[in-house]
Amino acid sequence: MLDIPTGLPAELVPLSWLIGVWEGTGVIDYGEHSYAGEFTHRVSFSHDGGGYLNYSADAWLHDADDPDQRTRLVAELGYWRLAIPATEGDPGPGLLPALVAPVVRTADDIEKLRNSDGGFDLEAALVHADGVSELYLGQIKGPRIDIATDAVVRPAGAKSYAAAARMYGLVDGHLLWAWDIAALGFELSAHASARLAKAE
């Protein structure tokens, strides 16, 4: 049974099971890069009243000989939302205000957005601390998310990174995820996975 917080915008109800802070460990294995130890991962999904979730994630690799010694792997920030076309009632682009009163969507309005698979189309825009930006498209269906990059933008000095796919699922109260990447000249393949427990 999913616990839906009160006062949540209707647009976020399908995503409500993500809300909170999740912590745990995972493994990395990609191409020639295989690590015997686990990494620590902390992910936060929150909302501020808008029709999107705020996302942040940090990961650290631990030294096998000294568990207190850790190296930062990634820091990400972003936004997750259902794929809903913008209207004149939405602000933007930039700082432009809405042209008409905003639309307050109801549960019935959101229900009409279900795709042919019975899920909801999803968008996630993520930025890594190294300057790489990703736009993911995919779907959320119950407590499972499958997304893949539609676009990857990286600065000239960044390492080769061409595409990615991620899967998230709620299993026995834990957030499980897997991340596939196409990078460093390799084809899209498994890269990392983790099991996270709700910390907050």
Side-chain angles (χ1 to χ4, degrees), residues 15 17-18 43 45 55 76 78-83 115 120-128 134-141 143-152 161 163-169 175-182 188-189:
L15 296 162
W17 56 272
L18 288 169
V43 176
F45 289 95
Y55 167 84
E76 298 177 312
Y79 300 94
W80 296 55
R81 68 184 206 105
L82 294 186
N115 59 32
F120 296 94
D121 294 334
L122 182 67
E123 303 168 348
L126 308 182
V127 178
H128 300 218
E134 301 167 296
L135 173 62
Y136 285 91
L137 303 179
Q139 81 163 350
I140 180 168
K141 186 175 181 182
R144 180 182 170 122
I145 293 171
D146 292 283
I147 53 177
T149 50
D150 183 60
V152 174
Y161 183 74
R166 301 189 192 199
M167 184 282 298
Y168 295 79
L175 180 63
L176 276 58
W177 66 261
W179 185 2
D180 298 350
I181 63 172
L188 186 69
S189 60

Side-chain angles (χ1 to χ4, degrees), residues 70-199:
R70 63 184 192 173
T71 303
R72 181 179 286 281
L73 292 173
V74 69
E76 298 177 312
L77 295 172
Y79 300 94
W80 296 55
R81 68 184 206 105
L82 294 186
I84 301 174
T87 69
E88 291 187 350
D90 295 306
L95 296 176
L96 296 176
L99 297 175
V100 298
V103 174
V104 178
R105 294 180 179 91
T106 66
D108 289 339
D109 295 330
I110 299 306
E111 199 55 36
K112 293 174 187 172
L113 297 174
R114 283 195 185 273
N115 59 32
S116 58
D117 272 350
F120 296 94
D121 294 334
L122 182 67
E123 303 168 348
L126 308 182
V127 178
H128 300 218
D130 63 2
V132 171
S133 298
E134 301 167 296
L135 173 62
Y136 285 91
L137 303 179
Q139 81 163 350
I140 180 168
K141 186 175 181 182
R144 180 182 170 122
I145 293 171
D146 292 283
I147 53 177
T149 50
D150 183 60
V152 174
V153 179
R154 59 188 175 86
K159 292 180 180 179
S160 168
Y161 183 74
R166 301 189 192 199
M167 184 282 298
Y168 295 79
L170 187 64
V171 179
D172 295 330
H174 287 82
L175 180 63
L176 276 58
W177 66 261
W179 185 2
D180 298 350
I181 63 172
L184 307 175
F186 294 99
E187 297 293 321
L188 186 69
S189 60
H191 156 61
S193 60
R195 180 183 180 95
L196 312 178
K198 198 117 180 220

